[in-house]
Amino acid sequence: MAEPRRGVRVGVDVGSVRVGVARSDADGILATPVTTVARDVAAEQAAGGDPDVGPVVAIVEELEALEVVVGLPRTLAGEDGPAAQAARRYAHVLASRVGDRPVRLVDERLTTVDAHRGLRDSGVPGRRHREVVDQAAAVLILQAALDAERAAGRPPGERVGSRRRKARTKDRDG
């Protein structure tokens, strides 16, 4: 098995209203919550991008993160619905802004449901769930990715922008 990669990873849960952010320790063992970023969908549509990506990029840079893991909320049938398509768009914008750091998409089916359950079980009042559920979901996404990497010995999920274009082979000399 490959030697475990060292470095902080950042986990992102992309919601329609908020983006939850989590981080790992430098050994990639434990995920912890960082913050929740409010989304401005109207500004996003007007600007043709994701203006709320900026604060996430700042966190990635501040932590000198090794990579970013974005949750991909596929349907129970394993297909990309509207939420997964939105997460893919967000991940592509994020990848274009974090330099050479890899951005990976990992399956996150039902993490928000699990996050609500965990908050309820830990005694967090229901009215406070909205404030922290996205962070809790980001923790679950990142922790699952960390565990999968340790088990498989390779980075988890699907790398954003990993499809390489084929080199042109046309002979230009004639």
Side-chain angles (χ1 to χ4, degrees):
M1 190 179 328
E3 189 68 26
R5 299 180 304 150
R6 284 194 41 84
V8 172
R9 281 82 157 177
V10 171
V12 179
D13 176 55
V14 181
S16 59
V17 178
R18 290 172 297 278
V19 175
V21 183
R23 64 163 291 171
S24 76
D25 61 294
D27 292 319
I29 295 172
L30 184 65
T32 56
V34 174
T35 192
T36 301
V37 177
R39 297 205 66 193
D40 186 347
V41 177
E44 173 185 333
Q45 291 171 343
D50 280 287
D52 46 86
V53 168
V56 177
V57 171
I59 291 166
V60 169
E61 290 173 350
E62 178 185 332
L63 295 173
E64 298 179 0
L66 174 69
E67 72 184 2
V68 182
V69 175
V70 177
L72 184 62
R74 291 194 165 117
T75 66
L76 292 178
E79 298 173 357
D80 281 8
Q85 292 168 1
R88 282 186 186 280
R89 281 191 302 273
Y90 191 95
H92 279 277
V93 172
L94 186 59
S96 73
R97 305 257 316 265
V98 295
D100 291 336
R101 291 178 182 93
V103 174
R104 298 187 169 282
L105 289 160
V106 297
D107 191 345
E108 65 132 317
R109 280 177 262 191
L110 301 177
T111 54
T112 301
V113 172
D114 289 341
H116 274 293
R117 183 179 305 120
L119 291 169
R120 186 179 56 249
D121 291 350
S122 65
V124 175
R127 64 187 174 278
R128 285 217 50 234
H129 284 203
R130 270 188 254 155
E131 299 170 21
V132 296
V133 71
D134 299 290
Q135 288 177 49
V139 167
L140 292 172
I141 291 164
L142 182 55
Q143 190 64 57
L146 296 171
D147 295 346
E149 180 171 341
R150 272 196 313 283
R154 66 180 188 283
E158 155 192 346
R159 185 165 176 175
V160 173
S162 64
R163 291 183 191 165
R164 299 193 188 272
R165 294 176 65 169
K166 291 184 179 179
R168 294 180 71 172
T169 59
K170 185 177 180 180
D171 184 3
R172 295 181 186 230
D173 293 331

